[in-house]
Amino acid sequence: MRCDSDDHRIDSHGKRRNGMTVAGGRAGTLGPRVALASTSVKILVPGNHLMAGLLGQRDEFLRQVEAAFGDRARIMVRGNEITIEGPEADRVGQLFEELVVLLERGHALDQANIGRTIDMVNADERPSEVLTAEVLKAAKGRTVRPKTSGQKRYTDAIAAHTITFGIGPAGTGKSYLAVALAVQALQAKQATRIILTRPAVEAGERLGFLPGDLMAKVDPYLRPLYDALTDMLEPEGMARLLERGLIEVAPLAFMRGRTLNNSFIILDEAQNTTPEQMKMFLTRIGYGSKAVVTGDVTQIDIAGGRSGLVGLEEVLGGIDGIAFVRLTGRDVVRHRIVQDIVDAYERAGTF
């Protein structure tokens, strides 16, 4: 329950509720957040179990929040009561409210998602809306969800458009989330097959002659997509779908001349297509199909650097049914140092 200084109660959807606030969809689960003064906020957290999850072992999450806001917010904890003072008191109060909602909905907190939650609150976003969205129920009951607001925009765009371009640096989940949505579409019978393709261009290395059949030759290039599929379906399930032709793998050159109906198609590493290849791919899409094109324009390996992904939004951006989503270093979900590396390269304007 949230109580502002003028005694208005406002629920998680911004609605006033006659003195009672709904947090996480249930009345009265979160104690009042009281604005004691312009720079002071008090929160009452219901239940010792929520308080323990909120603060972390040996208060590690509390220390993480304190480090993020520094002297802009002083946090004091007594029992189930949290008092925040300072110029960022209201924002930190909102952060704790969002974290309590996540705990109530069954999310286990860790330092990574605490950090992402802080980033979202600082950007005036609602972590409880982003992190509770469900993309796929994967193998062993694990749920695939977006982990940043950028990822949520990306998955929403894929659901709403025929062709979606996901453009951003490594580690932002472009390929992984596309595969998750492809599996979900196949399971829901919204597509009859998944088609995975990418240009066969080496990342500055020479792989030489690759022996074996088509699958063996293409396998090294599509390994990231295989890894994502295996993570969601487990090896046995993926093998069955490959045998039945419900998952098809092919190099981009093999798309020429085909019309792909009722399919979920993923073109990965699209920054390494030529403009001619990109046009060829986009004109293969048939009735009932959906396509996701992923790429990182800072990692172009194609000879001459003439990428079919660069400048494409200027050409296709006005077409109904096509969406462009740009992910940034804020959406990196690998080790925190990866985000720092991406940000450093962006600041330097290199690669």
Side-chain angles (χ1 to χ4, degrees):
M1 191 163 82
R2 169 180 174 174
C3 179
D4 293 333
S5 56
D6 61 356
D7 202 35
H8 289 141
R9 276 85 171 174
I10 305 172
D11 70 11
S12 59
H13 301 287
K15 299 177 181 177
R16 303 182 186 277
R17 292 293 182 86
N18 298 326
M20 179 60 71
T21 295
V22 177
R26 297 191 297 280
T29 53
L30 182 62
R33 171 153 74 89
V34 183
L36 301 177
S38 61
T39 59
S40 183
V41 169
K42 181 181 290 185
I43 296 175
L44 299 177
V45 179
N48 291 333
H49 66 293
L50 287 179
M51 199 66 181
L54 187 63
L55 301 181
Q57 289 188 352
R58 300 179 181 178
D59 293 342
E60 62 175 328
F61 300 155
L62 175 61
R63 290 196 300 272
Q64 185 177 357
V65 174
E66 288 175 330
F69 289 92
D71 58 7
R72 293 171 293 149
R74 180 168 173 253
I75 305 169
M76 295 155 285
V77 178
R78 174 178 289 182
N80 283 14
E81 183 178 285
I82 302 174
T83 303
I84 307 113
E85 297 177 351
E88 292 277 24
D90 198 62
R91 191 180 296 276
V92 176
Q94 180 189 354
L95 170 66
F96 280 119
E97 285 184 340
E98 291 286 320
L99 292 172
V100 169
V101 172
L102 291 173
L103 286 168
E104 288 179 325
R105 295 182 183 179
H107 286 253
L109 301 181
D110 57 32
Q111 289 188 337
N113 55 37
I114 291 281
R116 286 191 284 269
T117 301
I118 292 170
D119 289 343
M120 281 186 261
V121 169
N122 280 333
D124 295 321
E125 297 162 347
R126 297 292 303 273
S128 58
E129 295 177 359
V130 172
L131 301 177
T132 57
E134 183 176 307
V135 175
L136 173 72
K137 282 284 188 185
K140 297 182 179 179
R142 191 176 57 81
T143 302
V144 178
R145 305 179 189 274
K147 295 183 178 180
T148 70
S149 56
Q151 289 190 351
K152 178 70 162 53
R153 285 189 291 105
Y154 178 51
T155 56
D156 288 347
I158 293 172
H161 295 83
T162 302
I163 303 173
T164 301
F165 292 85
I167 303 170
T172 51
K174 304 182 300 294
S175 303
Y176 191 87
L177 290 171
V179 170
L181 286 162
V183 172
Q184 190 276 333
L186 189 64
Q187 293 176 345
K189 302 189 186 306
Q190 296 168 348
T192 59
R193 60 181 170 172
I194 298 171
I195 299 176
L196 308 176
T197 186
R198 61 161 286 181
V201 176
E202 303 92 345
E205 301 156 359
R206 302 304 305 170
L207 298 182
F209 175 75
L210 294 172
D213 59 13
L214 175 62
M215 287 288 289
K217 294 177 187 295
V218 177
D219 183 89
Y221 296 99
L222 290 166
R223 179 50 54 186
L225 299 181
Y226 281 149
D227 290 343
L229 279 170
T230 302
D231 196 28
M232 295 166 199
L233 298 170
E234 298 201 325
E236 297 80 7
M238 178 178 162
R240 284 195 300 271
L241 293 176
L242 283 167
E243 289 172 6
R244 294 165 56 191
L246 299 182
I247 297 177
E248 180 182 339
V249 179
L252 182 58
F254 282 59
M255 297 292 105
R256 189 176 300 277
R258 301 179 63 185
T259 300
L260 307 173
N261 295 319
N262 303 311
S263 304
F264 197 113
I265 313 149
I266 299 173
L267 170 58
D268 198 31
E269 299 287 342
Q271 75 275 6
N272 288 325
T273 62
T274 64
E276 294 79 12
Q277 286 175 322
M278 180 63 76
K279 180 181 177 182
M280 179 272 292
F281 170 79
L282 294 175
T283 54
R284 301 306 95 202
I285 297 166
Y287 291 107
S289 288
K290 188 181 289 285
V292 180
V293 179
T294 70
D296 177 0
V297 293
T298 69
Q299 295 188 6
I300 297 173
D301 302 310
I302 192 169
R306 187 168 162 267
S307 170
L309 190 58
V310 174
L312 196 60
E313 187 171 4
E314 299 173 8
V315 178
L316 304 180
I319 298 178
D320 189 37
I322 295 179
F324 286 81
V325 179
R326 294 189 178 272
L327 302 172
T328 68
R330 284 189 59 217
D331 301 299
V332 172
V333 293
R334 293 177 183 170
H335 193 287
R336 186 81 183 191
I337 197 171
V338 175
Q339 180 176 340
D340 294 339
I341 290 169
V342 169
D343 290 342
Y345 274 112
E346 288 180 352
R347 288 193 303 271
T350 57
F351 302 101

